[in-house]
């Protein structure tokens, strides 16, 4: 069993930056994938970015490509999302997720474990 705990959300002005963290307890295998999703009120949970735990393979949603960077720290067992040039449309609850099977996927249904979410609000 894996538990995921997100942190780092908050209120930021347009154009600003935030770094989200997701601390994982439990064993993560090198072929597992971890991802960030986000959900605004009244909308579906949308894919943001994913990374293979062994590193080297990442995928981003077009809406965040060039602005967000996903990374992980094996020693700390932590996933990160570095968000730059934030826009009001980035406002959402951000969730980290773990896929316990192989392969990177962009669908929320493909992920087996989820954190509780952290709120990001981009507003002046």
């Amino acid at each position: 069993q894996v538990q995921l705990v997100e942190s780092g959300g908050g209120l930021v002005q347009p154009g600003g930056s935030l770094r989200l963290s997701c601390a994982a307890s439990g064993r993560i295998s090198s072929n597992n994938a971890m991802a960030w999703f986000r959900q605004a009120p009244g909308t579906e949970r949308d894919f943001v970015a994913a990374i293979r735990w062994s590193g080297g393979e990442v995928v981003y949603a077009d809406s965040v490509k060039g602005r967000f960077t996903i990374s992980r720290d094996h020693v700390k067992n932590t996933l990160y999302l570095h968000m730059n040039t934030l826009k009001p449309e980035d406002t959402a609850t951000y969730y980290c997720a773990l896929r316990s099977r192989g392969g990177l996927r962009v669908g929320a249904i493909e992920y087996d474990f989820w954190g509780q979410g952290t709120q990001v609000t981009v507003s002046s």
Side-chain angles (χ1 to χ4, degrees):
Q1 192 78 358
V2 175
Q3 291 187 326
L4 305 173
V5 179
E6 303 97 333
S7 60
L11 173 65
V12 62
Q13 292 188 341
S17 300
L18 277 177
R19 187 185 76 166
L20 304 183
S21 301
C22 174
S25 62
R27 183 176 179 272
I28 303 176
S29 300
S30 60
N31 69 333
N32 291 164
M34 292 196 73
W36 290 97
F37 287 79
R38 65 186 182 185
Q39 188 170 22
T43 69
E44 295 184 349
R45 192 165 295 189
D46 291 332
F47 172 78
V48 175
I51 186 169
R52 189 180 300 278
W53 195 247
S54 61
E57 186 177 2
V58 297
V59 60
Y60 293 96
D62 288 342
S63 59
V64 306
K65 205 171 292 184
R67 300 188 299 123
F68 291 10
T69 302
I70 189 171
S71 65
R72 84 281 181 265
D73 185 321
H74 283 154
V75 174
K76 296 181 179 180
N77 233 30
T78 300
L79 178 74
Y80 300 102
L81 185 68
H82 305 258
M83 306 186 293
N84 297 316
T85 320
L86 283 160
K87 305 175 182 180
E89 51 263 44
D90 295 317
T91 295
T93 300
Y94 283 70
Y95 299 89
C96 70
L98 170 71
R99 174 177 165 84
S100 58
R101 295 150 284 168
L104 290 185
R105 299 289 188 271
V106 301
I109 197 172
E110 302 283 356
Y111 289 79
D112 308 298
F113 299 97
W114 291 85
Q116 82 290 346
T118 185
Q119 177 68 37
V120 172
T121 302
V122 184
S123 174
S124 55

